[in-house]
Amino acid sequence: TGVPAIKTLLTIKQMGDESNPNINSHMSDEMVEVLVDHFEVSVEIRAAVSLEDEVLSEFEIEDAEADLLPRPPIVTFLGHVDHGKTSLLDALIGIDVVSGEAGGITQHIRAYQIEKDGHKIAFVDTPGHEAFTEMRARGANVTDIAVLVVAADDGVMPQTAEAINHAKAAEVPIVVALNKCDLPGITPDKAMQDLAANELLPSEWGGETEVVKTSAITKEGLDDLLETILVTAELHEYKANPDRPAYGTCLESEQQSDRGVVCKVLVQGGTLKIGDVVVCGTSFGRVKSMNDTLKPSIRLEEVGPSTPVNLTGFNTPPGAGEKLYVVDDIGKAREIAESRGHAEHEQNVAGSVMVSLEEMARRLEMGRLAPSDAEIVTLNLILRADTKGSIEAIKKELGKIDHPEVRIKIVQALVGGVTVADVRLAQASEAVICAFNVVPDENARSLAEEVGAQVRRYDVIYKITDDLKATLEGRLKPEE
Ligand code: GDP
């Protein structure tokens, strides 16, 4: 209608509305009419609830506490390249990659469920941590526990540090596998010190991080690692309702010439059955077959929470990270998938949502005018600077900013130029990147532009704090 939302909200308030509406509030038809008169504009009243909303709210049924049963934990391996992620997972599940999953699907992401003393564990192994972050960036959360693999001879390396930040941003517990302990002359002390320096103080040093000494070669420590995972899972009491229409996440998918679309799905709640009608992103279909990911010859009729399967039946390959839901009829599934296809197209044309300080300032100001509840908002930052000294100085300055409603959180602070990994992390955690005396590399710059992440460059520290204070006060205005 051309009337800014903020003006609309103010007007509603001036009219004496006591309900403290915010930008997401529903407006009654009468209120719309009053406003239309007031602003002398015309509005086209669309169906209040789109099909998608209707179906989504149906999916997002809150399970009653009594229906929730314990489910296996979903574990992801993260770590620096060559520290032994692949070898450890292979050793744990008793296969080697070459012979494993022959009839499955080309593996980028591996996902298996194993059993240890009657307790199941699901493992999801993503190449590098890009996949982990990318999934999170799409709002898909497929990890309960992160196993951080650190080679005892190498200690914490740059990708280890990144992995730690990713896991922390995802707020998942971290279990450390201190790997390659079979190597002669290994003293784990240096690696332990590295961990402590990265805020993962080992429990044997009085901290809270479980560090298990492992070897993928001799298999030392593997039982210990599984037990530690199970204890961690027990502490967190992961639960799901197995007795409802299934939902899950597509991990990856591909079109195969003989089998059609094969999709690796992690079922997260409910029970998925052969013949179920499913919709996933802009794809839909009826589940035709489900195969075990570890032993592809095993065909499954139905699978419950925390189970990965290779599934056929989709019309087109769904995107990695898309949510899968069961709906009750194929016509509805088609309609949802197609309407999403159109919406996606429109969104691509319109460009993606920017995460920027200006946008945060706007949101904060919005919330202040129409406070929905007294929630504390977090403003996520990723710092890149020329030296460790600069980082310390910036952190110190930021530490002085104290605000009742907003918490400034530094998701990651590293020395050096802005990288693609930083932009991915910014995207996943809705963070703004502050680059102090450094610049983004070319790939990072173009990715940031593509995904709408903001990289702000500074060369004086107080400019950073000034901008942040202005953001918090909602007076940071868009850059020209
Ligand atoms: P990833 O890149 O983290 O997946 O590492 P890989 O599993 O591919 O392992 C990298 C190299 O380290 C390979 O040559 C492995 O054989 C070796 N490796 C992995 N785990 C161990 C271990 O526990 N002990 C020793 N000695 N070598 C290992």
Side-chain angles (χ1 to χ4, degrees):
T1 62
V3 180
I6 202 157
K7 206 164 157 194
T8 312
L9 285 170
L10 278 172
T11 313
I12 298 178
K13 288 191 142 208
Q14 282 157 6
M15 288 175 174
D17 187 310
E18 308 264 285
S19 66
N20 263 340
N22 65 31
I23 189 160
N24 296 317
S25 303
H26 277 284
M27 233 190 262
S28 67
D29 289 353
E30 297 84 77
M31 182 53 95
V32 173
E33 271 173 39
V34 173
L35 289 171
V36 165
D37 276 354
H38 180 86
F39 289 116
E40 298 178 351
V41 290
S42 67
V43 290
E44 178 196 340
I45 299 187
R46 274 178 277 171
V49 188
S50 68
L51 175 69
E52 170 131 332
D53 286 346
E54 198 179 292
V55 175
L56 276 180
S57 54
E58 194 179 301
F59 295 144
E60 324 254 282
I61 31 175
E62 283 248 344
D63 294 303
E65 191 61 37
D67 295 333
L68 295 176
L69 297 179
R71 62 164 177 85
I74 304 167
V75 178
T76 295
F77 281 76
L78 297 172
H80 195 73
V81 64
D82 280 349
H83 279 198
K85 258 165 31 105
T86 314
S87 312
L88 263 183
L89 182 56
D90 282 357
L92 283 174
I93 60 181
I95 61 158
D96 61 89
V97 178
V98 192
S99 61
E101 219 181 350
I105 120 176
T106 326
Q107 351 190 307
H108 300 293
I109 293 190
R110 301 197 291 155
Y112 310 106
Q113 196 186 56
I114 65 157
E115 208 169 303
K116 155 92 180 151
D117 306 333
H119 299 282
K120 290 176 174 160
I121 305 175
F123 287 104
V124 177
D125 180 36
T126 62
H129 38 244
E130 296 86 6
F132 176 79
T133 323
E134 229 164 89
M135 293 256 180
R136 284 223 314 124
R138 289 172 203 213
N141 192 2
V142 290
T143 302
D144 298 315
I145 300 172
V147 170
L148 182 73
V149 181
V150 183
D153 57 337
D154 238 3
V156 171
M157 299 299 278
Q159 286 168 24
T160 323
E162 274 178 23
I164 294 173
N165 292 321
H166 287 301
K168 285 197 170 159
E171 296 182 355
V172 293
I174 301 173
V175 171
V176 177
L178 196 60
N179 195 36
K180 306 199 184 184
C181 280
D182 59 293
L183 289 174
I186 280 295
T187 45
D189 274 16
K190 141 101 177 44
M192 301 270 270
Q193 272 160 16
D194 286 355
L195 288 168
N198 281 275
E199 292 171 37
L200 292 176
L201 189 64
S203 59
E204 58 179 274
W205 289 5
E208 298 210 323
T209 305
E210 294 302 331
V211 178
V212 184
K213 298 188 179 73
T214 60
S215 162
I217 307 286
T218 66
K219 315 255 189 300
E220 172 203 337
L222 294 191
D223 270 342
D224 217 5
L225 180 59
L226 292 178
E227 266 155 36
T228 308
I229 290 170
L230 287 173
V231 171
T232 308
E234 221 165 275
L235 277 174
H236 287 82
E237 300 188 322
Y238 304 112
K239 286 182 174 171
N241 176 7
D243 191 19
R244 54 160 285 170
Y247 60 91
T249 300
C250 164
L251 299 174
E252 62 182 348
S253 63
E254 68 181 21
Q255 179 85 43
Q256 289 184 355
S257 52
D258 50 341
R259 298 172 67 200
V261 175
V262 183
C263 178
K264 184 172 294 177
V265 168
L266 180 69
V267 175
Q268 290 166 287
T271 296
L272 187 62
K273 306 182 182 91
I274 298 284
D276 274 351
V277 174
V278 280
V279 56
C280 187
T282 55
S283 308
F284 71 97
R286 200 180 279 281
V287 179
K288 204 161 115 199
S289 72
M290 291 191 287
N291 292 76
D292 190 82
T293 51
L294 192 53
K295 299 193 184 78
S297 59
I298 301 182
R299 295 177 67 95
L300 303 160
E301 289 297 314
E302 50 175 63
V303 297
S306 303
T307 316
V309 284
N310 288 331
L311 171 160
T312 63
F314 276 115
N315 61 336
T316 53
E322 294 286 5
K323 278 256 166 217
L324 168 145
Y325 291 104
V326 168
V327 294
D328 45 21
D329 81 89
I330 195 89
K332 197 162 164 189
R334 179 196 301 274
E335 215 172 310
I336 299 167
E338 283 171 2
S339 75
R340 282 176 174 170
H342 296 142
E344 205 167 82
H345 177 74
E346 274 168 29
Q347 201 178 4
N348 286 343
V349 174
S352 54
V353 184
M354 194 66 175
V355 179
S356 63
L357 282 191
E358 291 81 4
E359 168 62 18
M360 287 185 187
R362 198 189 63 80
R363 285 188 207 167
L364 286 173
E365 185 58 16
M366 214 63 194
R368 204 164 287 139
L369 284 174
S372 47
D373 40 45
E375 213 180 301
I376 294 208
V377 184
T378 305
L379 201 162
N380 287 333
L381 291 184
I382 292 174
L383 280 183
R384 274 287 185 176
D386 50 347
T387 63
K388 256 198 144 86
S390 307
I391 290 183
E392 292 313 318
I394 297 167
K395 278 186 171 171
K396 199 165 151 221
E397 284 308 307
L398 295 185
K400 290 183 195 159
I401 301 180
D402 187 25
H403 195 277
E405 296 153 31
V406 190
R407 181 168 67 113
I408 295 179
K409 183 169 158 196
I410 299 174
V411 180
Q412 169 165 283
L414 295 172
V415 171
V418 179
T419 64
V420 164
D422 296 336
V423 178
R424 286 280 178 221
L425 180 61
Q427 194 192 1
S429 46
E430 290 215 330
V432 168
I433 301 172
C434 292
F436 183 76
N437 282 338
V438 292
V439 292
D441 66 38
E442 201 37 54
N443 294 336
R445 199 195 316 269
S446 58
L447 182 67
E449 212 159 278
E450 188 189 315
V451 303
Q454 190 178 42
V455 181
R456 298 181 74 95
R457 288 174 55 192
Y458 295 95
D459 49 16
V460 267
I461 292 178
Y462 77 81
K463 255 312 267 167
I464 305 182
T465 44
D466 276 3
D467 275 5
L468 287 175
K469 281 180 194 154
T471 302
L472 299 188
E473 286 156 25
R475 57 176 170 82
L476 189 77
K477 294 292 172 280
E479 284 171 319
E480 289 308 313

